[in-house]
């Protein structure tokens, strides 16, 4: 699993899901009954953040879930925030949906459908969550629900996850608050940048927006005096606005800068996109 980089292997909860999949498949069920397809290969999209390691997808529209490593700052993938990437949702393709993989599994069990979780990317108000759950109840198919309930109970008994009583409160308040407490710079994708220890230095942002024309020389000048956190914020925003993928010269330069910062794993992922 070279795409895992320094992490070498998937965390325990992922391995438990893999083992469970083998067991329930013999009984005629699958995690796919919850639209949860585990993946052990790096299948990047232009919108997949370079410091996100995908571990599951829903089997359509390129929607996938991954571990947010914060450019390698996370020491254990078991404790990494979980990000939903929905490439076709151009206005809101990325959102943090869980505090860690165990809570992500709890969210899947609560929603009984990993596909539905991707809808969270597009909403943030409590009324929208209420409407989403009302629509879900209307679309319930008895046969599919029976299969989903069986798989959910198997997951809960195996992993010990809980049902989330208030999904809106969990995602929009608990998760967002926890993330905001970690970050010192905001980014266009909503993920932000955590502190890397650049004490007593001012973090300045290079303001970017979609379809913006930038000069490589200006970016180089910015990097000459920017903190590491500011550089990473630029990289996030430049990816989110497709500036990196649209400009080959900038992409090659960014790869070299990432290597200088010791971000070999992330640079390797960028090279594959």
């Amino acid at each position: 699993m070279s795409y895992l980089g320094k992490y070498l292997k998937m965390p325990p909860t992922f391995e438990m899901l893999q083992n469970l999949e083998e067991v329930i498949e013999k009984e005629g069920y699958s995690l796919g009954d919850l639209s949860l397809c585990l993946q052990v290969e790096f299948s990047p999209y232009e919108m997949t953040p370079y410091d996100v390691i995908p571990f599951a997808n829903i089997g359509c529209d390129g929607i996938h879930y991954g571990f947010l490593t914060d450019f390698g700052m996370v020491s254990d993938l078991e404790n990494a925030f979980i990000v939903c990437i929905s490439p076709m949702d151009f206005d809101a393709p990325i959102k943090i949906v869980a505090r860690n993989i165990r809570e992500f599994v709890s969210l899947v069990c609560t929603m009984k459908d990993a596909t539905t979780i991707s809808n969270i990317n597009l909403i943030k108000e409590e009324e929208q969550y209420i409407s989403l759950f009302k629509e879900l109840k209307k679309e319930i198919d008895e046969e599919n629900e029976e299969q989903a309930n069986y798989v959910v109970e198997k997951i809960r008994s195996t992993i010990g996850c809980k049902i989330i009583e208030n999904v809106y409160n969990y995602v929009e308040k608990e998760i967002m608050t926890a993330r905001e407490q970690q970050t010192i710079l905001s980014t266009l994708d909503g993920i932000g940048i955590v502190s890397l220890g650049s004490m007593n230095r001012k973090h300045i942002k290079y303001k970017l927006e979609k379809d913006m024309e930038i000069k490589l020389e200006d970016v180089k000048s910015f990097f000459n005096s920017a903190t590491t956190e500011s550089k990473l914020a630029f990289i996030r925003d430049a990816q989110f606005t497709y500036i990196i993928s649209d400009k080959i010269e900038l992409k090659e330069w960014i790869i070299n800068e990432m290597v200088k910062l010791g971000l070999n794993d992330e640079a390797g992922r960028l090279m594959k996109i």
Side-chain angles (χ1 to χ4, degrees):
M1 294 188 184
S2 59
Y3 76 99
L4 291 175
K6 73 173 190 177
Y7 296 101
L8 302 180
K9 66 177 184 177
M10 284 294 195
T13 297
F14 180 87
E15 294 180 344
M16 291 172 70
L17 287 172
Q18 277 187 312
N19 294 334
L20 178 61
E21 177 81 310
E22 293 180 6
V23 172
I24 62 177
E25 278 185 346
K26 296 175 182 177
E27 302 171 349
Y29 296 90
S30 167
L31 295 178
D33 293 325
L34 302 178
S35 300
L36 184 65
C37 307
L38 303 181
Q39 64 182 70
V40 291
E41 294 181 356
F42 182 59
S43 302
Y45 282 78
E46 283 186 332
M47 192 52 66
T48 306
Y50 310 132
D51 59 339
V52 166
I53 299 175
F55 67 87
N57 62 74
I58 68 166
C60 66
D61 294 334
I63 296 171
H64 55 290
Y65 299 95
F67 301 106
L68 174 61
T69 70
D70 281 317
F71 293 99
M73 288 292 289
V74 172
S75 59
D76 186 349
L77 292 180
E78 186 75 21
N79 301 319
F81 278 97
I82 304 302
V83 178
C84 174
I85 299 99
S86 183
M88 302 302 290
D89 292 328
F90 301 109
D91 292 331
I94 300 172
K95 188 168 185 174
I96 296 175
V97 295
R99 192 159 21 214
N100 53 57
I101 187 172
R102 290 183 69 86
E103 292 187 11
F104 170 74
V105 174
S106 291
L107 188 58
V108 172
C109 288
T110 300
M111 308 293 275
K112 298 181 182 179
D113 181 19
T115 301
T116 305
I117 297 174
S118 67
N119 292 333
I120 292 175
N121 281 33
L122 301 171
I123 62 178
K124 62 180 180 179
E125 303 298 334
E126 187 170 13
E127 293 78 10
Q128 293 174 308
Y129 276 80
I130 293 172
S131 296
L132 174 61
F133 278 100
K134 284 182 178 179
E135 287 300 316
L136 288 177
K137 288 182 179 180
K138 292 179 183 178
E139 298 172 3
I140 289 177
D141 178 280
E142 289 187 8
E143 182 178 350
N144 291 339
E145 184 180 25
E146 182 180 338
Q147 290 179 307
N149 286 338
Y150 180 85
V151 176
V152 165
E153 288 308 311
K154 280 290 188 178
I155 292 175
R156 294 187 66 189
S157 62
T158 301
I159 298 179
C161 60
K162 301 177 181 179
I163 297 300
I164 298 173
E165 296 298 329
N166 188 324
V167 175
Y168 162 75
N169 188 67
Y170 172 73
V171 175
E172 302 299 338
K173 293 187 176 181
E174 290 183 32
I175 299 306
M176 292 302 109
T177 298
R179 184 59 183 172
E180 287 172 2
Q181 291 174 345
Q182 285 190 347
T183 56
I184 59 171
L185 283 174
S186 62
T187 51
L188 296 175
D189 58 9
I191 293 178
I193 300 295
V194 301
S195 174
L196 302 179
S198 299
M199 303 299 291
N200 302 318
R201 294 193 62 187
K202 187 176 181 180
H203 304 293
I204 300 173
K205 284 202 64 178
Y206 191 113
K207 293 184 179 180
L208 291 174
E209 56 187 47
K210 290 183 178 180
D211 301 320
M212 178 179 176
E213 284 295 325
I214 63 172
K215 296 180 180 179
L216 181 55
E217 290 305 314
D218 291 340
V219 178
K220 289 181 178 180
S221 177
F222 172 75
F223 267 56
N224 283 337
S225 59
T227 62
T228 298
E229 291 90 337
S230 293
K231 293 176 182 178
L232 297 180
F234 173 87
I235 291 172
R236 274 211 200 289
D237 288 346
Q239 179 185 16
F240 187 76
T241 53
Y242 294 101
I243 291 174
I244 290 180
S245 58
D246 289 344
K247 297 183 180 296
I248 296 177
E249 188 178 5
L250 175 63
K251 178 178 178 178
E252 293 176 347
W253 184 80
I254 287 294
I255 289 173
N256 289 330
E257 288 300 307
M258 292 170 83
V259 171
K260 289 180 184 178
L261 292 171
L263 304 176
N264 296 300
D265 294 342
E266 291 77 8
R269 295 182 193 120
L270 172 54
M271 284 189 279
K272 294 178 181 178
I273 295 177

